[in-house]
Amino acid sequence: MLVLRTAMGMAAAATLLIGAELNSGSAPLVTHEWGTFTSVAQESGTAVEWAPLLGPADLPCFVVRAPGVFKGTLKGLVRMETPVLYFYSAKPATLSVHVSFPEGLITEWYPNPAPAPRQEPLLNSSTKIEWNQVQVTPGKDLGYPVTEGPSHYYAARNTDSTPLRIGDEQEKMIFYRGVGTFAPPLRALYDASGKLEVRNTGTEPIPFVIAFENQHGAIGYRVAENVATSVTLDAPELTQDLPALRQTLAARLTGLGLYPKEALAMVDTWADSWFTEGSRVFYIVPRHTVDALLPLTIAPAPTDIQRVFVGRLEVLSPRTKETIQHALRAGDADTLTTFGRFLEPFIAQIQRQDRTFELSPTAKTYLLAIESGQQVSGDGYGPVSLKPGTASCVE
């Protein structure tokens, strides 16, 4: 059943939960986490293997990168993006936090555990990370590291979470990222009539699904509720506005257990990525699935743990396909650049569907640059810098 929430209703839902956020100190210890699982759909609607680390790093220099694995050619089915763990406590506490990623590789984190986690050389090896002696320190905010340039990272601090200290490092949350080999619990594909079929491939209902499209700045979206099996949606009409969608997402994330400021922090973190040119499906990964894919252990155990993960599946819609094909024929590097790390799997899909499709010389050069692990822009080609220390850190 298709349901569109009004802005007034969403605002009311968020308002009802503001008190819970402000009064969270009444519980001995509360832990909240949000994150994103990003994938790219192939012709069948299932996730395709791609290079999620391709492109420039978007994190500040103090974030630790796993040695030996941060390569633009590293392949996987899922990019686990920006899980952050928040802690709320009225009293000081000392915690041990352990995260396992049985079907993936943890590639970035902050603060740094001591000793640093052991990383297996193969992507399909189980990895884990543990922060011991996490000092939860209610009271005045500590001094947090910053860099001179902008980053997705900083929006996640805009919450009322209790400051943390781990060794000599201080932060408002625990942050980590990774690359996974597991198949996400949803598939999506456009049929011959231009409708989008979304299928839940897991065993639990998906609370909501949002089909989104942006074509040259015109946006539209449709919302489906409680997808237990499958739902077919008409292509979104590109007549809607972004503030309404942002409010829809923030209200839904709050309704699933995040505090309002946490929900806004998540939407703000990905505002310049979620709503860019192209077509994608956002969905909520069921809690049981999150716990199985990413086991979390905290000792002493919190009174309450909320984990809200958004799935993001990039889909080659008919309109997006037409845009990319036109740009490939014309050698329009500016348009191709807007698709970023998703361009390579989309071009591969276009060429599989039409083996006679011809690329312009400029497009061929562009593809070669991507395949060799270079950052590409409309102004030319340059090597990607994926190593820490690319920005100047300021204490």
Side-chain angles (χ1 to χ4, degrees):
M1 180 178 179
L2 191 63
V3 179
L4 296 178
R5 298 283 189 185
T6 65
M8 183 178 296
M10 291 180 293
T15 301
L16 289 174
L17 288 163
I18 290 176
E21 181 167 13
L22 296 179
N23 295 326
S24 62
S26 61
L29 178 66
V30 171
T31 301
H32 285 187
E33 181 181 29
W34 57 255
T36 304
F37 291 142
T38 299
S39 302
V40 184
Q42 57 186 324
E43 297 91 322
S44 64
T46 58
V48 68
E49 190 177 70
W50 60 305
L53 303 186
L54 192 67
D58 65 341
L59 295 172
C61 62
F62 55 81
V63 172
V64 182
R65 279 77 168 177
V69 300
F70 211 80
K71 307 288 186 181
T73 55
L74 182 65
K75 297 291 184 75
L77 293 177
V78 176
R79 175 57 159 153
M80 180 178 68
E81 298 186 288
T82 316
V84 291
L85 282 159
Y86 299 110
F87 299 88
Y88 298 83
S89 178
K91 298 179 180 180
T94 300
L95 310 175
S96 174
V97 179
H98 182 279
V99 178
S100 297
F101 196 15
E103 296 182 74
L105 192 69
I106 296 173
T107 55
E108 301 110 301
W109 57 84
Y110 189 81
N112 195 30
R118 178 174 179 265
Q119 297 293 326
E120 301 292 343
L122 300 178
L123 183 58
N124 61 0
S125 297
S126 173
T127 59
K128 59 186 178 180
I129 189 167
E130 186 170 22
W131 293 266
N132 291 309
Q133 296 296 309
V134 178
Q135 305 293 325
V136 183
T137 59
K140 185 178 180 180
D141 277 358
L142 304 173
Y144 307 126
V146 297
T147 59
E148 294 180 348
S151 171
H152 285 147
Y153 183 92
Y154 298 116
R157 288 178 178 165
N158 297 329
T159 71
D160 293 329
S161 61
T162 306
L164 307 175
R165 186 192 304 273
I166 303 175
D168 295 331
E169 297 173 334
Q170 301 168 160
E171 191 47 276
K172 289 199 72 172
M173 69 270 185
I174 289 177
F175 164 93
Y176 60 102
R177 278 187 180 178
V179 175
T181 59
F182 62 91
L186 180 137
R187 75 175 195 181
L189 72 158
Y190 282 87
D191 63 21
S193 68
K195 295 180 182 292
L196 179 66
E197 179 192 348
V198 178
R199 179 170 294 277
N200 181 353
T201 59
T203 58
E204 297 179 89
I206 293 175
F208 72 85
V209 167
I210 297 178
F212 170 86
E213 189 155 13
N214 179 336
Q215 293 296 325
H216 312 297
I219 73 164
Y221 62 95
R222 297 187 184 276
V223 183
E225 307 278 356
N226 297 318
V227 179
T229 54
S230 66
V231 63
T232 299
L233 305 173
D234 290 329
E237 295 181 3
L238 305 180
T239 58
Q240 294 165 294
D241 63 271
L242 195 54
L245 176 56
R246 289 170 60 102
Q247 194 173 29
T248 295
L249 278 167
R252 294 304 183 85
L253 294 169
T254 302
L256 288 164
L258 294 182
Y259 294 142
K261 286 186 178 181
E262 294 170 342
L264 287 173
M266 185 178 195
V267 175
D268 288 345
T269 294
W270 294 112
D272 63 349
S273 175
W274 279 358
F275 311 125
T276 55
E277 183 83 11
S279 175
R280 59 198 58 98
V281 176
F282 300 110
Y283 61 98
I284 293 298
V285 182
R287 171 64 184 272
H288 178 75
T289 302
V290 173
D291 289 340
L293 292 171
L294 208 59
L296 169 66
T297 303
I298 302 173
T303 306
D304 177 58
I305 299 179
Q306 298 292 337
R307 308 184 80 190
V308 179
F309 276 64
V310 171
R312 169 184 176 180
L313 183 64
E314 294 288 317
V315 186
L316 186 63
S317 72
R319 289 182 288 209
T320 298
K321 181 179 179 181
E322 183 178 349
T323 296
I324 294 176
Q325 285 177 319
H326 182 271
L328 289 171
R329 291 190 183 101
D332 181 358
D334 288 331
T335 296
L336 295 175
T337 301
T338 63
F339 293 95
R341 55 191 171 149
F342 307 115
L343 182 63
E344 185 180 24
F346 281 159
I347 291 177
Q349 182 173 330
I350 289 171
Q351 292 181 314
R352 285 195 300 269
Q353 293 172 336
D354 182 1
R355 297 190 180 277
T356 65
F357 184 81
E358 289 291 333
L359 305 181
S360 70
T362 300
K364 290 179 180 179
T365 304
Y366 192 103
L367 262 181
L368 287 173
I370 292 175
E371 291 169 356
S372 64
Q374 290 183 306
Q375 179 183 353
V376 185
S377 70
D379 299 325
Y381 310 102
V384 173
S385 178
L386 296 176
K387 297 179 180 179
T390 56
S392 175
C393 282
V394 179
E395 295 298 333

